[in-house]
């Protein structure tokens, strides 16, 4: 992720203030308290626009489309055809019919193409919403993810391909590359890091930070006026690291999600959340 670099003069001032102990740590503490107060103010389900996406997703789930003119209600997300409760809490996971580990967005694309025989070119083109451009995927993920609210994240690692992809995701997390020689761990590899006033969760070890973060996606981003999925979050992280943009619903993003979910095991899902 992008870090804010200070000029030599600004850095000298910062060091001088820090060495004198004048308001350095208290200022950070107060900033964090204000951020938490802001989060508490906006974290009201009745005022969360993300729930509009949940409603739209419910309609899309039951809508008949594609050459077969059927809905997604027979799509198996791992709990049985059409069963949604708890499915999101156990994804990504291995699917025997596709012989592949898939996250929710990959699986939905597979069901659209296989169950509905829908041309998904337009769905992929609108994978991330924007002004005047709705996203079927964001809406469906909000609807399905919401069905796992109150449940715990349960990483799936019993199948050899699940284990393999989790290991690949861990390697990706620590892999440094790109013009800035960044890795995911550059920002999320230890406690106490931040970008400007924003604290960064530590994913290098299992625990509360990873649990709270992974259990809160998908989320409605106030700053973007849009609901965002984990696919978007990871895509945006790669963009800010100046890495090549990953393909949508690629195996690499699924692998990284597998590792992050492993670190977040036991986190209680509450989605869609709302963030700045």
């Amino acid at each position: 992720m992008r870090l804010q670099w200070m000029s030599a003069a600004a850095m000298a001032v910062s060091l001088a203030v820090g060495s004198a102990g004048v308001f350095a740590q208290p200022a950070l503490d107060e900033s964090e308290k204000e951020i938490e107060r802001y989060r508490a103010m906006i974290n009201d389900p009745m005022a969360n626009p993300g729930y509009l996406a949940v409603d739209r997703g419910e309609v899309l789930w039951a809508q008949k489309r594609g050459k077969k003119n059927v809905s997604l209600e027979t799509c198996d997300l791992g709990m049985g055809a059409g069963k949604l409760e708890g499915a999101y809490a156990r994804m990504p996971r291995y699917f025997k019919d596709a012989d592949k580990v898939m996250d929710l967005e990959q699986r939905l694309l597979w069901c659209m193409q296989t169950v509905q025989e829908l041309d998904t070119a337009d769905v992929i083109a609108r994978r991330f919403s924007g002004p005047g451009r709705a996203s079927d995927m964001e809406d469906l993920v909000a609807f399905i993810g919401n069905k796992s609210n109150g449940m715990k994240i349960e990483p799936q690692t019993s199948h050899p391909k699940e284990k393999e992809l989790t290991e690949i995701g861990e390697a990706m997390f620590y892999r440094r590359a790109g013009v800035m020689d960044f890795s995911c761990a550059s920002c999320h590899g230890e406690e106490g890091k931040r970008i400007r006033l924003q604290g960064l969760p530590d994913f290098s070890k299992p625990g509360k930070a990873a649990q709270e973060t992974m259990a809160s996606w998908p989320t409605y981003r106030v700053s973007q006026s849009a609901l965002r999925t984990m696919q978007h979050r990871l895509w945006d992280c790669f963009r800010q690291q100046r890495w090549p943009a990953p393909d949508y619903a690629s195996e690499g993003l699924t692998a990284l999600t597998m590792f992050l979910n492993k670190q977040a095991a036991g986190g209680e899902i509450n989605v869609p959340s709302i963030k700045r």
Side-chain angles (χ1 to χ4, degrees), residues 11 16 23 30 37 47 59 72 77 139 152 159 162 185 210 216 242 247:
M11 185 175 291
F23 303 121
E30 287 302 315
R37 191 169 72 88
V59 173
L72 287 169
L77 299 180
D139 293 343
K152 307 291 186 182
H159 193 277
E162 292 170 342
S216 64
R242 306 299 188 267
D247 291 338

Side-chain angles (χ1 to χ4, degrees), residues 149-275:
N149 271 7
M151 301 180 187
K152 307 291 186 182
I153 295 175
E154 295 184 30
Q156 303 297 296
T157 58
S158 60
H159 193 277
K161 289 193 175 184
E162 292 170 342
K163 292 179 181 178
E164 178 186 28
L165 220 59
T166 303
E167 292 172 358
I168 291 172
E170 182 173 9
M172 289 179 63
F173 180 81
Y174 290 102
R175 170 69 173 170
R176 300 179 72 101
V179 297
M180 299 175 71
D181 193 33
F182 268 23
S183 68
C184 300
S186 297
C187 291
H188 299 284
E190 59 184 278
E191 294 180 6
K193 287 196 171 183
R194 63 177 60 233
I195 294 179
R196 294 179 289 276
L197 296 179
Q198 180 65 51
L200 299 171
D202 178 9
F203 284 110
S204 66
K205 58 181 181 293
K208 184 180 178 181
Q211 290 174 337
E212 291 182 346
T213 301
M214 295 304 290
S216 64
W217 287 83
T219 189
Y220 183 83
R221 299 297 302 269
V222 175
S223 59
Q224 299 176 24
S225 299
L227 183 126
R228 296 304 189 198
T229 67
M230 182 51 61
Q231 283 271 343
H232 183 276
R233 174 66 273 171
L234 295 178
W235 169 83
D236 199 36
C237 281
F238 277 100
R239 178 188 67 82
Q240 292 184 69
Q241 291 180 95
R242 306 299 188 267
W243 279 46
D247 291 338
Y248 179 67
S250 64
E251 191 172 50
L253 292 186
T254 300
L256 194 49
T257 304
M258 290 283 284
F259 170 69
L260 296 178
N261 269 3
K262 176 188 173 185
Q263 305 300 80
E268 185 174 315
I269 295 172
N270 183 20
V271 297
S273 65
I274 185 167
K275 300 179 187 288

Side-chain angles (χ1 to χ4, degrees), residues 61 72-84 107 111 115:
W61 179 254
L72 287 169
E73 292 169 312
T74 58
C75 176
D76 184 356
L77 299 180
M79 307 298 291
K83 295 182 179 180
L84 302 180
R107 186 62 177 175
C111 284
V115 175

